[in-house]
Amino acid sequence: MHCFNLRSSALVLISALCAMLSFVAYGQYTFAVVGKTKNDSFYEQSFKGCQDFAQRQADLRCIYDGAYDYQDARTQALVVQDLVAQGVDGILVSTTDSQHLVNRALKKAQQQGIAVITFDSDLAPQHQTYRLAYVGTNNFDFGVALGEAAKQFKREHPQTLCIQSGHHTTPNLNKRIDGVRYALSGSTKRLNGENDWLEHPRCPLFTAGRRDDALKQLRTIISYPQPTIFVAVAGFAQFNPDYQQVMTEFKQQLAKKQRVIISADTETLQLQALASGLGTMNIGQNPYEMGRKGAQLLYDAVKHQHLPEQEQYYLPFHYCTPDNAQSCAKNH
């Protein structure tokens, strides 16, 4: 509804009505969804999940923000600082750097009574008093699943493996690296021949979520004569719109399992590449439900003072191959 600048004795009444309608339209409560990067379909799905929940409440709206182009801990903290200053009622955040986020933003959020739920990437254990709960994948188990997938394609003795990650401080990705190593060696230490597995000397690779860097890293590793199983603990290179064009030269080798690319996540671009034979296996999560469930937990806490009953709410993950890529996952 538009409110016009009327010159009459009813101006005050009209203004009050406009304010009331604005209150109804925009909601009494505002929750912010903050991913590690903003231009990322994974976190956009989480935002849609929050919006889905908000549409069912007359007094709630969701907004979306984050570091725009890559995983930058400082920018993420600044974004959350700004949201705290705006006085949002709740924040759903995927942690890039736990210490930095807490010191720069979440301590202030707690002082102001702003509820925080982490999703996708939790705070480090020593910082978890600054959030109410975590919603998302059990990231260690997810890493184990990626490692178990790699076992199926072991051809060399010893077999080299390259892990690609994002930012070296990111809690969930570090847990996934631990899980991969544990699946292959029974330990979270760097693979050094245990059970005939070796980590490539250049790895793990860190991308900070920069898609061009991620794709260059992948292409370099799988171009080496010695076959190295490539395991990405998040989408990274496959989120690059040039992925299919760049990787086409390896299609025959991928089909023969002479080259192996195993990646976390099952976003639309990734599934298209997988269906085209430009990947080996993807293990996907449920970012939409992270946003929906996270918003529900925040709403219960903020409106009804009903705190989450659990510390962690773990969601299932799923497996995609070239054979089932068109039906294995639902993207919103």
Side-chain angles (χ1 to χ4, degrees):
M1 174 178 179
H2 296 286
C3 297
F4 302 95
N5 186 16
L6 302 176
R7 296 180 179 179
S8 71
S9 60
L11 180 59
V12 174
L13 179 61
I14 294 294
S15 296
L17 178 60
C18 286
M20 183 179 70
L21 289 172
S22 178
F23 175 88
V24 172
Y26 292 108
Q28 179 180 354
Y29 302 108
T30 299
F31 295 162
V33 178
V34 181
K36 294 176 200 165
T37 50
K38 188 175 182 179
N39 65 335
D40 188 316
S41 61
F42 185 97
Y43 298 115
E44 288 168 355
Q45 287 200 70
S46 298
F47 176 51
K48 290 177 182 178
C50 184
Q51 288 180 306
D52 178 64
F53 179 80
Q55 287 173 0
R56 292 163 170 76
Q57 322 305 322
D59 55 359
L60 176 63
R61 67 168 180 147
C62 295
I63 59 176
Y64 181 60
D65 213 333
Y68 182 72
D69 195 44
Y70 65 96
Q71 295 173 15
D72 179 53
R74 292 181 180 180
T75 301
Q76 184 182 63
L78 288 171
V79 165
V80 177
Q81 281 180 13
D82 186 52
L83 292 166
V84 171
Q86 292 175 34
V88 298
D89 301 285
I91 298 173
L92 274 167
V93 60
S94 177
T95 308
T96 297
D97 184 310
S98 184
Q99 178 102 28
H100 193 78
L101 183 61
V102 166
N103 288 342
R104 297 291 182 177
L106 295 190
K107 286 183 178 180
K108 185 68 172 178
Q110 190 176 80
Q111 290 169 4
Q112 293 189 197
I114 297 173
V116 175
I117 296 283
T118 53
F119 75 101
D120 175 52
S121 180
D122 201 359
L123 295 173
Q126 66 268 29
H127 300 141
Q128 290 175 4
T129 55
Y130 292 97
R131 54 81 165 144
L132 299 179
Y134 164 77
V135 181
T137 304
N138 181 320
N139 286 291
F140 181 81
D141 289 354
F142 193 58
V144 169
L146 290 165
E148 291 292 337
K151 288 182 180 179
Q152 304 175 42
F153 306 103
K154 183 178 181 182
R155 299 288 185 269
E156 303 292 315
H157 302 280
Q159 176 66 61
T160 59
L161 177 107
C162 180
I163 299 172
Q164 186 182 58
S165 188
H167 198 282
H168 69 277
T169 64
T170 303
N172 70 323
L173 302 183
N174 288 338
K175 285 186 177 181
R176 293 178 192 179
I177 293 172
D178 286 347
V180 171
R181 290 170 172 166
Y182 184 82
L184 300 177
S185 70
S187 167
T188 59
K189 295 180 180 178
R190 180 182 176 85
L191 302 173
N192 193 31
E194 297 85 357
N195 296 334
D196 227 13
W197 287 94
L198 281 172
E199 285 188 56
H200 193 283
R202 293 191 60 179
C203 304
L205 301 169
F206 293 96
T207 69
R210 292 183 173 93
R211 297 167 189 175
D212 287 346
D213 291 349
L215 186 54
K216 289 175 184 176
Q217 289 175 354
L218 168 58
R219 189 186 183 287
T220 296
I221 291 296
I222 70 167
S223 294
Y224 290 149
Q226 183 181 7
T228 297
I229 294 176
F230 192 91
V231 177
V233 297
F236 305 133
Q238 293 184 341
F239 290 160
N240 190 314
D242 296 328
Y243 177 87
Q244 290 200 50
Q245 178 183 348
V246 171
M247 299 307 296
T248 296
E249 66 174 293
F250 303 102
K251 186 170 183 176
Q252 290 186 355
Q253 293 172 309
L254 286 164
K256 297 175 182 178
K257 305 301 186 289
Q258 295 170 344
R259 294 290 183 268
V260 173
I261 300 171
I262 299 167
S263 179
D265 299 330
T266 52
E267 298 299 292
T268 299
L269 275 177
Q270 296 177 281
L271 294 178
Q272 289 171 350
L274 192 62
S276 298
L278 298 175
T280 307
M281 181 182 292
N282 285 60
I283 304 180
Q285 305 176 79
N286 194 339
Y288 183 86
E289 181 61 14
M290 293 180 196
R292 193 207 65 79
K293 180 66 175 178
Q296 179 187 21
L297 292 171
L298 280 176
Y299 191 75
D300 287 344
V302 171
K303 183 171 182 176
H304 303 296
Q305 292 75 53
H306 181 194
L307 297 180
E309 296 178 355
Q310 301 170 208
E311 280 283 312
Q312 292 93 17
Y313 291 79
Y314 290 139
L315 302 175
F317 42 86
H318 52 271
Y319 296 80
C320 295
T321 65
D323 293 334
N324 72 351
Q326 295 181 346
S327 61
C328 63
K330 179 180 179 181
N331 287 310
H332 295 265

